[in-house]
Amino acid sequence: MPYYVFRLGMFKVLEKQAEWTSFKAAKKHVNELRKTLDPKSGDQYKMIFAENEIAAQETLTAERELDKTLSGDDW
């Protein structure tokens, strides 16, 4: 399974940047991209290991459920 690198823009718009077979190469690429990112843009670079590009996009845009043990007034 390959590693995918995506740019995650506003409104969770994904742009595929690259696809790698090696974790080391993918990690190096995403770190280089992150160095060039303007912090004020609100964009992010994400790396994900997935069976295919569609599965990677679905995972990155999926809404996560709130873990009730980590929220509330108990803090």
Side-chain angles (χ1 to χ4, degrees):
M1 288 194 304
Y3 294 89
Y4 295 94
V5 176
F6 287 94
R7 182 180 185 133
L8 183 60
M10 294 192 65
F11 308 112
K12 290 192 175 184
V13 175
L14 292 173
E15 287 181 42
K16 181 180 167 190
Q17 302 296 305
E19 180 177 330
W20 301 90
T21 56
S22 159
F23 172 79
K24 242 180 172 176
K27 186 68 175 173
K28 182 179 178 184
H29 181 73
V30 78
N31 283 338
E32 290 298 319
L33 289 172
R34 287 176 178 158
K35 288 178 186 177
T36 65
L37 193 59
D38 179 13
K40 295 178 184 176
S41 71
D43 293 350
Q44 299 176 337
Y45 285 104
K46 298 282 185 172
M47 182 179 72
I48 187 165
F49 182 65
E51 191 171 325
N52 56 47
E53 187 176 340
I54 294 170
Q57 290 177 344
E58 287 176 353
T59 302
L60 287 174
T61 57
E63 292 292 325
R64 294 184 183 180
E65 282 190 35
L66 178 65
D67 185 354
K68 305 241 187 237
T69 62
L70 299 176
S71 64
D73 294 330
D74 296 336
W75 291 85

